[in-house]
Amino acid sequence: MTEILVSEVGPRDGLQSIDRVMSLEAKKAWIAAEAAAGVKEIEVGSFVPPSLLPQMADTAELVAFARTIPGLNVVALVPNAKGAARAVEAGVHAMSIPFSMSETHSLRNVRKDHPAMLAEIAEVAQIANAGGVHFAVGLSTAFGCTIEGAVSEEQVVRLAAAAAEAGAQEFSLSDTTGYADPAQVKRLIGKVRGAVGDKLTTLHLHNTRGLGLANALAGLEEGITTLDASLGGLGGCPYAPGASGNLVTEDLVLMLNSMGLKTGIDLAKLLEVRQILAEALPGEPLYGFTPDAGPMLDYNERIAPKESEA
């Protein structure tokens, strides 16, 4: 049975996109509850200056807490080498840096052009290697940009190859702006794999135009083994206008489990975690079809084999 890793990015990508700051205790409760539901990897925050994103000011404390949960892979986003050093010091298992394929978005998001970002990636790779931390690069705006429009696939391939040479251990293709379609997903996975091989493992998808699950399925058909998602569909990118709506974790897990793929996630327990968000962020919109409709009547029969038998 194929094993798919669902990486929860809500505590970072979700919370950075809303104005309110969730309390540290609520964040801890969220992370602990998702881990108890079987989620094996959580991006708990990002090491950016609190003056820019006060929502992420407690990331080091969250890393320390999450490290106490057995079997949980604790991940954080870093914007630069300074953030990487803080992440290693905090004790993350893995960290990722966003590398925008749109240079305009890169300048707006991290204030660096492509050559400067490649230099930064090389420096972060050295910090990660010295600290024994896994280092991934997220190829942001890989499918299009709300500022520039279309992004050349050849440019994505060229920059991915350069990032691999700079020391990236793993890659994700990120649909930061919700521009991707299934045919494009398949095509770009093939092209980037031609440059970096099996280092490309992950898709980070947004559901801005309702194509999130279709794009996820296209990725699975091309051998993608990790899918990022956010509980309740929280999230977007504060520096990409109109880029709302991460892939909804609950809907993704329903689809994967129903298909007989192994996630290790108990959907019923996962659905209960939404209550933590609803109480901590009253009035904040939470998305997803599964929470409203519930699983199919024959859902348990569709999961083959049952997790208890796997």
Side-chain angles (χ1 to χ4, degrees), residues 25-250:
E25 290 310 309
K27 290 180 183 179
K28 288 180 177 180
W30 178 2
I31 291 166
E34 280 218 30
V39 174
K40 299 179 181 70
E41 180 174 285
I42 300 178
E43 189 179 49
V44 300
S46 63
F47 286 91
V48 297
S51 58
L52 293 178
L53 283 176
Q55 303 94 319
M56 300 290 108
D58 53 10
T59 296
E61 293 169 274
L62 283 171
V63 170
F65 168 75
R67 282 290 304 258
T68 68
I69 302 173
L72 181 65
N73 195 41
V74 182
V75 182
L77 180 140
V78 300
N80 49 36
K82 187 179 291 187
R86 290 175 59 206
V88 171
E89 182 181 3
V92 298
H93 294 122
M95 59 187 174
S96 66
I97 190 169
F99 182 21
S100 296
M101 302 295 92
S102 156
E103 196 159 44
T104 307
H105 181 264
S106 184
L107 289 165
R108 189 170 297 189
N109 193 33
V110 293
R111 300 173 188 171
K112 288 183 173 66
D113 61 14
H114 286 156
M117 273 305 301
L118 286 167
E120 199 77 35
I121 287 167
E123 190 174 351
V124 172
Q126 290 181 340
I127 292 168
N129 288 336
V133 171
H134 186 74
F135 174 47
V137 169
L139 303 173
S140 307
T141 64
F143 299 95
C145 174
T146 52
I147 307 164
E148 285 189 14
V151 173
S152 162
E153 293 180 356
E154 287 64 36
Q155 176 165 293
V156 177
V157 172
R158 175 178 59 80
L159 292 173
E165 190 173 336
Q169 295 173 292
E170 187 178 6
F171 288 91
S172 69
L173 283 173
S174 300
D175 185 21
T176 314
T177 57
Y179 271 32
D181 64 69
Q184 185 186 20
V185 167
K186 290 190 170 192
R187 189 171 63 245
L188 194 55
I189 288 172
K191 289 184 177 182
V192 173
R193 278 242 174 90
V196 305
D198 59 8
K199 288 183 179 180
L200 175 58
T201 62
T202 305
L203 282 180
H204 178 97
L205 301 168
H206 285 211
N207 199 42
T208 313
R209 292 167 179 82
L211 293 173
L213 288 178
N215 290 332
L217 183 58
L220 293 173
E221 290 173 349
E222 294 301 311
I224 288 294
T225 54
T226 300
L227 292 164
D228 290 352
S230 177
L231 195 80
L234 281 177
C237 175
Y239 300 103
S244 60
N246 276 294
L247 193 59
V248 177
T249 307
E250 303 93 309

Side-chain angles (χ1 to χ4, degrees), residues 15-39:
L15 294 183
Q16 76 170 20
S17 304
I18 61 176
D19 293 331
R20 284 181 291 175
V21 177
M22 182 184 277
S23 73
L24 177 60
E25 290 310 309
K27 290 180 183 179
K28 288 180 177 180
W30 178 2
I31 291 166
E34 280 218 30
V39 174

